[in-house]
Amino acid sequence: MAYQEDIALMAHLMRRAGFGAGRDELEARVAKGYQATVEELLHPETQPAVDDYTLLRYQPAALLPGGQPPMGNVNIMYHLVNTKRPLEEKMALFWHHVFATGNSKVDNYDQLLSQIGLFRERGMGDYRALLLTIARNPTMIFWLDNNENHGTAVNENWGRELLELFSLGVGAYTEKDVREASRAFTGWTFETKIPRLPYGRFPWKFEYRPEDHDDGEKEFLGHRGRFNGEDIIDIVVEQPACARFVCRHLYNFFVADEPQVPAWSIEAPRDQKAIDTLTAAFRQSRFDIRSVLRVLFNSSFFKEARFKHLKSPAEVVVGSLRFVGGQELPRPGYGDLSMQPAYMGQDLLNPPSVEGWHTGPEWINSGSLMARINFVASLVGDPSLPGVRAIIDRLKSKGSLSPEQLVDGCLDLLGPVEVSAETRQELVAQAKEWGQTGWASETSAKTADKRVGEMLQLIVATREYQFA
Amino acid sequence: MPATQKAPVLVTLQLSGGNDYLNTVIPFNDPLYRDNRPAVGIPDDKILKFDKTYGFNPSMAPLKKVWDQGKLAIVHGVGYPNSPRSHFRSMDIWHTCEPEKVGTQGWLGQVAREYDPKKENVVTTVSFGPSLFRALVAPGVPVACVAGPLEKYGFLPNIQERTQRLQVLDRFAKMYSPVAGSGVMEYLGTTGLDSLKGADILKVAPQKYASTVKYPDTPIARKLKGIAQVHFADLGSRIFYCDHGSFDTHAGQNPGHGNLWAAVCEGLEAFMADLREHDHSDNVLILLFSEFGRRVHDNGSGTDHGAAGPVFLMGDHVKGGHYGEYPSLKAEKLVQGDLNPSTDFRSVYSTILEKWLKVNPNSITGGRFEQTAFLN
Amino acid sequence: MPLTTVARGRVYEWSHAVGRGAASGTGFNYPQTMCLAKGGVAYVANRGNENNFGMRVNEVKIGGPGQEELLAEFFQWGEGDGRSTWPFGVATDGRNVYVSDEWNNSISVFDSSGKFLRKWGKSGSGDGELMRPAGLVCEKNGNLIVVDSGNNRLQVFTGEGKFLAKCGKGGSGDGEFDQPWGITVDQAGNIYVADWKNHRIQKLSPQGKFMMKIGQYGKVPVPADAYAVTPLGPYLSASGTPGYPKAGLLNHPTDVAVDTDGDIYVADWGNHRVCVFDAEGNPVANLIGDAQVMSKWGQMSIDANPDMMKARRRARSLEPEYRFCFPTAVDFDPETDRIIVADSQRNRLQIYRKVRDYVDFQANL
């Protein structure tokens, strides 16, 4: 039983810090140990990177995809599904959610992908450095109009969102601070790029124009000086509100669903002690995200938060594709596969606004629920896929299965998934319609494969399965 | 004022990708048309001329018939200032009426919310296609999104064998029975049952449907047929949405652009015949738009992203004819090589909202816009 | 920015560019391979994208500067005879054109004007069966060599599709392959294969016996003040002409060509260059792309889009546009002494001339 508990805990870690794992991988990781697995996840450089060259051999249009879907989505989906560094990708999604930048305005998936590349590279490092990187990122500059932020005519879009959505949260600054921060970032822009016709996309490049920078004195969050953008970031990261804001985001993403960000200035966190613990790690480590994550994944509040997080569409799609396996070749049809999160309400690389996506229960509406259930069901109901085959093989090795054994076996191997007594009762009732499941003869084996597929489909359709 | 007693229905057909205005409604007398279209111009004898000045693309014969019947309104030069020439941004602007910032509420989503504030009918809005169009999005507004064939719409479509399917869906309903007071779980339960209900409702539509009209075998015709089926089933659906594309004809515009229009026009012809056969045409207004028009001058093979385009409206209550002004092709009147919009798209919306859908347009369009008189 | 590359007795002069990005008609869409026919005609196999646009083979007359002309297109996306899912290889025997589809595991045959004639191919690893067929080349005797990439081998067929011979297996030893891509034969009938994942070129005898290998894995060093044109290069240096030393290092080479002197040209895809080796495999020079003059079709796009022209004038430097970006294919045209490079991510061909009457730098010019 203790071993089963180790498996369940490892499954929890892999669902949250990654995109889930099949039983073979979970067993190997349990053998390696929980803490060692956490360290491996925190050090992605110890695992091989995704082979971009293979992606480009088969889908060359995924390198510089321009403004139309789905080639940008193909690129990010290929990374998500094939990565051996799951936490690196998870952190890229995390920062994509926080620094939400969308193709709806940017119109250059290649620029969004290069921003995602920054998140991969720096997502677990120094938050101050990341903030500075994003302040200089041409994609972000364009998205929040900082190229229109001139020494003579201030545009506050970037200055405001930097404080409101990227670092401090509403209530931790005044309108004057917004104004002064914006002044400090005047002149932070990008070069005129080479246009896309006739040879395709070229990168955008940061440019600092001193002659367009307002070099006058500013007063920002109680400090006074002739601040430039970098000074603003230095002041921002030292604010107690900054630690609280970043850590609450991490808690919401990795531990348990919090209310939507705009409510954070009104509603207290669901677990203040947990936030305090993370905040302390953030400050002690001088804004090192890796250190905060280490504390988070090893904490009891994380270990006890099983199934307290409603899966995002990206988690649903990527988790399912990795689970069933066989997705290494970016084959024809990968485009539609890559758009699946969008069909469920999370259009990757194109969040609805700079606020990012609304998470938790807001992922669910009548349309998105059907889309997510049907997508996962179409995969787990296909016994030709390696991950489904692996479940069948493990069940088969137990011989003939009673209805209860079939249900419990499927629940176990799909997660383990924890369901309510009422749900289990319905699943068992369905299995009872089928009687014993066995692989003794060729015909019964065929029926048994089909029954397992149907049971798996019914399980992924449950309410409980929507949680991680 | 529509004379119908039935609730008005709007069918939107989005021409995704940016439809080329100049080769759709062709100003064949204008020498500048020829000058600017050395590679993709339509030969004069192929143009379907419908008056002294304008003609349709050769593949648009069915639409010319509607024009001849006086049921087609063409609104000219529709757009908005400072076209960004980006598919997404432009589409977003059309969908949310927010040209200055990234909007979050769709114009039709807001209509659906007014029609059904308590969300009593989960099929008020029915969209055909896998993705949810932003025009339909508003917080808490349910949209039935039919990704595949209507016949297969519902949960777990891969379990097809009849008794299995009924059993499994019955289990589903029981598993989703909301547990009162359990927060997120209860919400999921209600949503799941709503969704199941929507599927049950829509499932009826193809079963009840019978028609002598043959639709062509194209994606857009299949979507329009689905719309007809749901509309005939009288389920209280008011807003239908579908799209066809891609009209992004940078290269190989001829015959690509014509083929796209052929599919749209033939699909619409069948759809309108079907509406008439079932005596269900008098409360339907059809709207066709695209996110932008294309460059005036061709690029030797196709046309690139431009600005102003035409909007088409069709239906029994449409007063056929030209509305607004075809923007000038003169070099000095172009903006960065594009036709300068003469009609704001929100004028068109405003007319549809007030005169057809009977809702107050101003909060949705974000201001007052002069209306056009294309409805009887 | 030099348009002429001079090295060890060879001189390569940039001639012109052909093409632009286009999903159909006058332009290319991610060329995977290419072959030449008589009269300066190229057949280019385009991969396309997940919107099912762009897949096709186009037949293009290269001509001189400003003379490009589209002659035909075929093998567009779709089901059935003459249609494709994933076009890859293209070869001609002077009469017919052979194309591979690496998703449907088939070889289709067209006449020189693009009329479908026949096809063959069955998925698998047995004799005559195919797994992701990539590059193709016709031998002088009319037989077709297929790079059977997924099976890590070459297979020889008659023009009618009858299996004749095979060589190679998966691995990194001599005569073994790892996902090979392009192929060519020299005048003596020797076979050269771009052994993609082994980062080398292998030369085989006409009978398929290993003779020589060229190159070893390596990425060109990224300059300290690098300007990355894409996240995977090419990298330009702000401080002057990019130094691309380290000849002989290859990063996922995709194609190879041999000229009438025996010099060998390698499309060093992942390093964004074409490496020139002498017949013994010693590195001679690198071509990095010099498209400083717009192609004819490219100019048409600019003419139709005045704001693009304006932006071009305002761009600080157009150098990123000159350079190769994942060149996939290289061919030598003995009729004109020209090296044709399919500059895949830029959807154009860049054409160089091997100059034989070059007079070295004259101080009194």
Side-chain angles (χ1 to χ4, degrees), chain C residues 43-280:
Chain C
Y43 292 94
V44 179
N46 298 275
R47 168 47 56 97
N49 67 25
E50 277 289 300
N51 289 314
N52 305 327
F53 287 160
M55 290 81 169
R56 68 198 190 278
V57 170
N58 33 25
E59 182 186 358
V60 174
K61 192 168 171 55
I62 292 170
Q67 294 176 334
E68 66 217 71
E69 201 183 321
L70 179 69
L71 302 177
E73 330 180 53
F74 51 97
F75 210 43
Q76 283 99 337
W77 182 85
E79 280 176 29
D81 288 348
R83 296 278 172 161
S84 64
T85 302
W86 264 2
F88 201 134
V90 59
T92 179
D93 56 11
R95 203 164 43 95
N96 294 330
V97 183
Y98 300 82
V99 291
S100 66
D101 185 319
E102 68 167 331
W103 182 248
N104 299 322
N105 293 319
S106 63
I107 308 293
S108 298
V109 189
F110 295 82
D111 73 12
S112 63
S113 63
K115 188 173 157 265
F116 174 79
L117 300 175
R118 59 182 181 274
K119 71 175 177 186
W120 75 82
K122 185 174 165 230
S123 306
S125 54
D127 286 353
E129 295 176 345
L130 301 166
M131 192 65 78
R132 297 204 296 278
L136 306 174
V137 71
C138 290
E139 296 187 284
K140 270 186 190 153
N141 58 15
N143 291 332
L144 180 76
I145 311 179
V146 178
V147 176
D148 188 10
S149 187
N151 288 323
N152 291 311
R153 63 181 181 183
L154 309 181
Q155 292 200 75
V156 187
F157 295 88
T158 67
E160 301 297 319
K162 185 171 168 284
F163 169 78
L164 296 174
K166 64 180 175 181
C167 72
K169 62 178 167 85
S172 57
D174 291 348
E176 297 174 344
F177 299 107
D178 193 353
Q179 302 175 57
W181 185 311
I183 185 170
T184 197
V185 289
D186 66 16
Q187 289 170 311
N190 297 311
I191 301 161
Y192 300 73
V193 181
D195 189 6
W196 189 66
K197 266 287 173 203
N198 281 328
H199 309 286
R200 63 182 181 183
I201 300 300
Q202 291 198 66
K203 180 180 179 184
L204 310 174
S205 74
Q207 289 71 40
K209 209 172 142 287
F210 173 81
M211 295 171 72
M212 180 175 84
K213 58 192 173 194
I214 302 173
Q216 53 168 309
Y217 174 70
K219 291 183 180 175
V220 294
V222 178
D225 53 355
Y227 176 87
V229 178
T230 85
L232 297 168
Y235 302 94
L236 308 183
S237 164
S239 55
T241 312
Y244 277 16
K246 298 281 180 189
L249 296 184
L250 299 176
N251 179 8
H252 293 87
T254 51
D255 198 17
V256 54
V258 183
D259 73 16
T260 42
D261 303 324
D263 284 345
I264 300 163
Y265 303 84
V266 178
D268 187 10
W269 186 68
N271 283 330
H272 311 282
R273 60 182 181 178
V274 169
C275 301
V276 188
F277 297 86
D278 67 18
E280 281 72 50

Side-chain angles (χ1 to χ4, degrees), chain C residues 21-40:
Chain C
S24 68
T26 44
F28 304 111
N29 204 280
Y30 306 102
Q32 295 283 77
T33 64
M34 165 183 68
C35 72
L36 297 181
K38 292 235 175 317

